Amino acid sequence: MTMPGDPSQNQQHPGAPTGGPAPYGPPPTAQFPAIAPPRKRPAWLVPTAIGVGALVLLCCGIGAAGAIFGDPKPASVSASEPPAVAAPTTASAAPAPATTAAATTAAATTAPAPVKTTPPVPAEPKTSGIGDKVRGGDFEYTVNSVKCGISKVGTSFLNTKAQGTFCRVSVTAKNVTKKAHTFHADSVLTAQDGSGREFSPDGTAGIYGNEDAKGFLDEINPGNAVKASVYFDVPKGTKLKTITFSAGLFTLAEDAVVTL
């Protein structure tokens, strides 16, 4: 029991609300939260933080260097834009000729082999011989006979001797045109041997060896014929191979050749 005037009678508890009557009973005991002891940091935390900071700094430095010295693309290009399609290169188009070549090869393989044809052998021109009629210009000629080894032509008093030996060729000339023409053996006939040498007629021997000088400037009417002997002075031992009848200078006809 307290006494009046006790100082503790009217004192408020430090935790009691002000402005109201003091609670009854003893004042509650003041309770303060317990202070936790300071937590120790692990020994590995500081070195790890330093390493992470150094790694971040290194990555940032490399990124900055790449932005400075890297591909100078404009910053306005968005990363979300699709990459530009590269134009086809020559190397990608190269297989096309190979395909064409393969198709060509296949076509060539499947194509039928060309049939080899032997060109026709030209027929040999028909050769005329003794007794055959050949056309030479305005006349139709026939070689009747050939004789060589004659040393002299003419009579005992009127004759001519050969430098080598005479070859006598008996011919018939017939006019096959519609008007008269002159036959002169010296300007129409030539003789050839096997080596290609050509001989002209001997006019003097022709005069001595023919009656009435036949074969010397004979005027022959259409359809008529003249038989004459033509002499060739050739080296001894010569064998004549062909007789050629000239078609003349003012005609398109071909010369006639008789093989002896």
Side-chain angles (χ1 to χ4, degrees):
M1 179 174 184
T2 58
M3 293 299 291
D6 189 355
S8 63
Q9 185 177 1
N10 296 325
Q11 292 181 356
Q12 286 185 336
H13 191 271
T18 58
Y24 295 95
T29 303
Q31 296 181 358
F32 297 95
I35 300 174
R39 182 183 301 177
K40 286 187 177 183
R41 295 179 181 178
W44 52 268
L45 181 61
V46 175
T48 301
I50 295 174
V52 171
L55 181 61
V56 172
L57 182 61
L58 179 61
C59 293
C60 293
I62 293 175
I68 296 174
F69 299 101
D71 188 9
K73 291 184 179 179
S76 60
V77 178
S78 175
S80 62
E81 294 182 1
V85 179
T89 60
T90 306
S92 61
T99 305
T100 305
T104 305
T105 304
T109 303
T110 57
V115 179
K116 294 183 179 180
T117 57
T118 304
V121 179
E124 295 183 0
K126 182 181 178 181
T127 58
S128 301
I130 296 175
D132 294 332
K133 296 178 181 180
V134 294
R135 178 71 182 270
D138 299 325
F139 295 93
E140 182 183 76
Y141 298 103
T142 304
V143 175
N144 302 310
S145 62
V146 177
K147 182 181 178 180
C148 294
I150 303 172
S151 60
K152 182 176 66 173
V153 178
T155 64
S156 303
F157 302 100
L158 299 173
N159 56 67
T160 181
K161 293 182 179 180
Q163 298 173 349
T165 184
F166 286 118
C167 283
R168 182 182 64 199
V169 180
S170 174
V171 298
T172 299
K174 180 180 179 180
N175 186 352
V176 293
T177 66
K178 295 183 179 181
K179 62 180 180 180
H181 291 283
T182 301
F183 169 65
H184 185 57
D186 291 359
S187 63
V188 174
L189 275 73
T190 56
Q192 297 80 30
D193 64 1
S195 61
R197 294 182 298 180
E198 184 173 275
F199 306 97
S200 298
D202 189 316
T204 303
I207 293 174
Y208 287 118
N210 286 284
E211 295 179 1
D212 301 330
K214 289 182 179 180
F216 180 78
L217 297 176
D218 292 322
E219 187 76 15
I220 303 176
N221 284 322
N224 289 339
V226 169
K227 185 178 181 179
S229 294
V230 183
Y231 293 87
F232 296 93
D233 192 347
V234 299
K236 292 181 179 180
T238 300
K239 184 178 181 180
L240 298 181
K241 183 178 180 181
T242 55
I243 299 295
T244 301
F245 297 91
S246 175
L249 298 177
F250 305 102
T251 180
L252 298 178
E254 295 181 356
D255 296 345
V257 179
V258 174
T259 303
L260 303 178

